[in-house]
Amino acid sequence: MIIKQVNLETVCGITSEIPDNPYNEVAFAGKSNVGKSSLINALMNRKALARTSAQPGKTQTINFYNVNDAVYLVDLPGYGYASAGIEIREKWGRMIENYLHGSKRLRAVFLLIDIRHEPSENDRMMYEWMVENGYPPIIIATKSDKLNRSQIARHTQVIRDVLQVEPGTAVIPFSSETKQGREEVWGLIESLAGLQDTPDGPESSSVETEPEDVAASGDQPRERKPRWKNTGRPVAKKTKKKEQQKREKRRR
């Protein structure tokens, strides 16, 4: 998706009402310090749109990012922050649950899991809640740049096994550093939020530079001609000439 404009439009605290937004929403949930803010920055091609922090539990509000006046990306507070008091954690939980139940525009919830570790008990509870409430369970395995390729495949399978994911569940390795998984995530957002037929949907979209083999018009790839055609000498004639030379040598 080509990001033309994006802004943090609404910030909801514990006592705030959920906004009645004009566009569809997709939400991002995950435990504290799993990388939600970094993921949103990477999706937007921004460095500091969503504030990141090494201190878990920094995001204590629901943040609504308006993208191109077409869709909202919703950053939910991180759950499972052990150092927060029980009362605060319960309020955060109620705030998240109120949003997930109360939003009229929510179309999907992405669950972020740190690919380096097994899903926690809170992760399993969140996944089960998503399934029970009819949201397509989509998992983003964050911080994939910390592992090599074979480790990514193995750890992704661990996530599937621990969560006991349903068949066909998408588990997308993602890195905010290398942008691995960015296009896959945007593809799902565009599909789930109904952006396929909008000017900012896939057809206008995610590849920002043309491949080398695409003509200037961008319509059709340039035809790659076989090398022998560039010489103007068909292969059949060249082969026939060699056969004649061999016969002459035998006669001598």
Side-chain angles (χ1 to χ4, degrees):
M1 185 177 195
I2 298 175
I3 309 300
K4 298 178 181 178
Q5 62 178 20
V6 56
N7 64 288
L8 176 57
E9 185 173 289
T10 308
V11 176
C12 287
I14 292 174
T15 60
S16 303
E17 293 185 3
I18 301 301
D20 185 10
N21 286 321
Y23 312 114
N24 288 337
E25 303 163 2
V26 294
F28 297 89
K31 68 181 182 181
S32 299
N33 213 31
V34 74
K36 286 189 284 82
S37 296
S38 296
L39 177 141
I40 288 174
N41 286 332
L43 290 176
M44 303 296 185
N45 282 328
R46 305 291 196 275
K47 292 184 178 180
L49 177 67
R51 294 183 179 180
T52 60
S53 174
Q55 178 184 355
K58 190 70 173 179
T59 302
Q60 301 180 18
T61 55
I62 301 177
N63 299 330
F64 293 79
Y65 296 90
N66 182 335
V67 184
N68 293 353
D69 285 334
V71 64
Y72 287 92
L73 303 192
V74 183
D75 185 9
L76 300 176
Y79 53 76
Y81 179 36
S83 297
I86 295 176
E87 183 179 354
I88 295 296
R89 279 184 285 165
E90 289 178 349
K91 287 182 178 179
W92 290 357
R94 288 197 299 271
M95 179 167 55
I96 294 172
E97 188 172 355
N98 287 340
Y99 166 70
L100 295 176
H101 278 299
S103 173
K104 299 177 182 178
R105 288 288 191 168
L106 181 61
R107 294 296 177 264
V109 181
F110 290 83
L111 177 60
L112 277 63
I113 306 288
D114 189 329
I115 196 172
R116 300 171 298 176
H117 310 297
E118 286 191 8
S120 66
E121 178 63 26
N122 285 318
D123 292 329
R124 293 195 291 271
M125 290 174 60
M126 188 57 159
Y127 177 79
E128 290 171 1
W129 189 96
M130 290 167 59
V131 173
E132 290 172 0
N133 285 270
Y135 290 104
I138 306 165
I139 299 169
I140 300 177
T142 62
K143 306 184 182 183
S144 63
D145 56 288
K146 306 298 183 182
L147 304 178
N148 61 40
R149 184 175 297 180
S150 62
Q151 289 175 319
I152 288 175
R154 186 167 65 251
H155 286 234
T156 298
Q157 188 58 48
V158 169
I159 292 174
R160 291 182 178 276
D161 294 340
V162 172
L163 295 181
Q164 299 180 8
V165 301
E166 296 183 341
T169 297
V171 180
I172 305 172
F174 188 93
S175 168
S176 59
E177 298 293 327
T178 67
K179 304 302 188 294
Q180 177 188 12
R182 182 180 183 273
E183 297 304 320
E184 289 88 340
V185 173
W186 264 122
L188 285 171
I189 292 172
E190 290 169 339
S191 175
L192 294 165
L195 299 181
Q196 296 94 329
D197 299 327
T198 68
D200 297 310
E203 293 187 359
S204 60
S205 69
S206 48
V207 179
E208 297 181 358
T209 58
E210 294 183 353
E212 292 181 358
D213 292 335
V214 176
S217 64
D219 293 331
Q220 296 292 335
R222 292 193 184 99
E223 181 183 358
R224 288 184 178 273
K225 295 183 179 180
R227 295 191 180 193
W228 62 266
K229 284 188 177 180
N230 293 337
T231 66
R233 293 178 295 177
V235 170
K237 290 185 179 180
K238 187 174 181 180
T239 303
K240 185 176 181 180
K241 184 176 181 181
K242 286 187 176 180
E243 290 292 333
Q244 291 176 346
Q245 290 175 346
K246 288 181 180 179
R247 291 195 191 100
E248 290 177 0
K249 285 183 180 181
R250 293 195 194 102
R251 291 173 184 171
R252 293 174 187 172

